[in-house]
Amino acid sequence: MKKFALAAALSALALAAVPAGAAGIEDKYNKACAACHNTGAAGAPKKGDKAAWAARVKKGEAALVASIKNGMGAMPPKGLCMDCSDADYKALVKYMTK
């Protein structure tokens, strides 16, 4: 039983050390963004819909991050990702617009 507990603890430490990359951004998207951006709820541009995102992307990265942080339309401030950094928001936008 001690081997299992040690292996579990080491596994948890290893996972905690992994930087948030593509998988981390996908997790954040699924937890905080997907409900609206997969369905287009309340006018949210759908993930991967380049036409719906075009005008927003044209405003620039800083404007997009500001819209997310402050909320816009039906989207609440921080878009439900309360632990996201500006870098996370930029990565989420890239994830949704590809």
Side-chain angles (χ1 to χ4, degrees):
M1 198 64 163
K2 286 183 180 181
K3 284 184 181 180
F4 177 75
L6 179 59
L10 290 174
S11 178
L13 285 174
L15 288 174
V18 175
I25 290 303
E26 187 174 356
D27 284 343
K28 286 183 184 280
Y29 172 81
N30 287 329
K31 289 176 185 171
C33 311
C36 294
H37 288 283
N38 279 348
T39 64
K46 289 183 180 179
K47 180 184 178 297
D49 184 344
K50 294 185 185 317
W53 280 99
R56 292 164 175 91
V57 169
K58 198 175 207 178
K59 292 178 184 178
E61 197 171 68
L64 281 168
V65 170
S67 293
I68 296 166
K69 289 172 75 172
N70 297 320
M72 181 172 211
M75 185 177 71
K78 297 189 175 190
L80 300 179
C81 189
M82 300 306 156
D83 65 339
C84 281
S85 65
D86 284 4
D88 290 333
Y89 293 131
K90 290 174 188 177
L92 283 163
V93 168
K94 285 180 185 174
Y95 180 77
M96 287 188 271
T97 59
K98 66 177 178 175

